[in-house]
Amino acid sequence: MDQESLELRKAGLKVTHPRMRILHLFEESPRRHLTAEDIYRQLLDSQEDIGLATVYRVLTQFEAAGILIKHNFEGGQAVFELDRGQHHDHMIDVDSGKVIEFVSDEIEKLQHEIAERHGYEIQDHSLVLYVRSKGSKKK
């Protein structure tokens, strides 16, 4: 049994052709963050007969099963990435829409210190920085 079939079964999902193809696209994509339209275009390019409604349905199922994480970054479409259990934060280039992942132990530590100072304990968090290249002109 291949890894993708195993992952679907482990998530409690039936192994179907659309699920297998969509999971495979995420596994093989050089880009980690994909929209439903990105997936649909790739399926069309490879002559797959999987409709956009099916793509949305599968992405929703994958999110509910913990296979994908959905991000709704400001000013853009929802993007999905495989949930590999490794926390990271994001920077979004406001000019190009490019998503950059980063990890910072210092930022993580500071966030916990701030929460504790206010009498809280962080349960989960998401940090998104909206950035512009230093050399680019403001739009």
Side-chain angles (χ1 to χ4, degrees):
M1 185 179 300
D2 64 22
Q3 185 64 32
E4 290 150 353
S5 297
L6 193 59
E7 190 167 351
L8 289 175
R9 290 186 196 283
K10 211 162 66 174
L13 294 171
K14 187 175 169 188
V15 176
T16 64
H17 179 71
R19 288 179 182 147
M20 290 289 291
R21 285 295 296 132
I22 291 169
L23 183 55
H24 181 76
L25 289 173
F26 273 98
E27 296 280 1
E28 298 299 315
S29 176
R31 294 176 39 219
R32 289 185 37 95
H33 301 86
L34 300 169
T35 66
E37 288 76 17
D38 292 333
I39 295 293
Y40 181 63
R41 271 193 299 282
Q42 289 180 42
L43 291 168
L44 285 177
D45 290 347
S46 59
Q47 309 296 308
E48 293 284 346
D49 187 24
I50 299 172
L52 186 57
T54 300
V55 171
Y56 276 105
R57 188 169 40 257
V58 169
L59 293 176
T60 300
Q61 293 165 348
F62 283 3
E63 180 188 9
I67 295 171
L68 295 178
I69 299 172
K70 179 180 181 181
H71 299 284
N72 291 301
F73 300 129
E74 282 182 39
Q77 297 175 294
V79 295
F80 297 84
E81 70 175 304
L82 288 170
D83 184 354
R84 293 298 181 225
Q86 300 160 329
H87 174 76
H88 57 273
D89 295 305
H90 297 92
M91 289 190 298
I92 311 300
D93 182 315
V94 296
D95 294 322
S96 69
K98 180 180 177 183
V99 179
I100 302 118
E101 295 180 353
F102 70 95
V103 175
S104 170
D105 293 336
E106 296 90 349
I107 290 174
E108 295 302 315
K109 182 176 181 240
L110 185 57
Q111 289 176 113
H112 286 280
E113 288 173 1
I114 290 168
E116 192 163 309
R117 217 174 319 162
H118 290 275
Y120 292 95
E121 181 180 298
I122 294 177
Q123 299 300 300
D124 191 17
H125 80 279
S126 172
L127 176 65
V128 180
L129 305 174
Y130 295 90
V131 299
R132 175 173 277 127
S133 174
K134 285 186 176 185
S136 71
K137 300 269 189 240
K138 208 175 194 181
K139 289 185 177 179

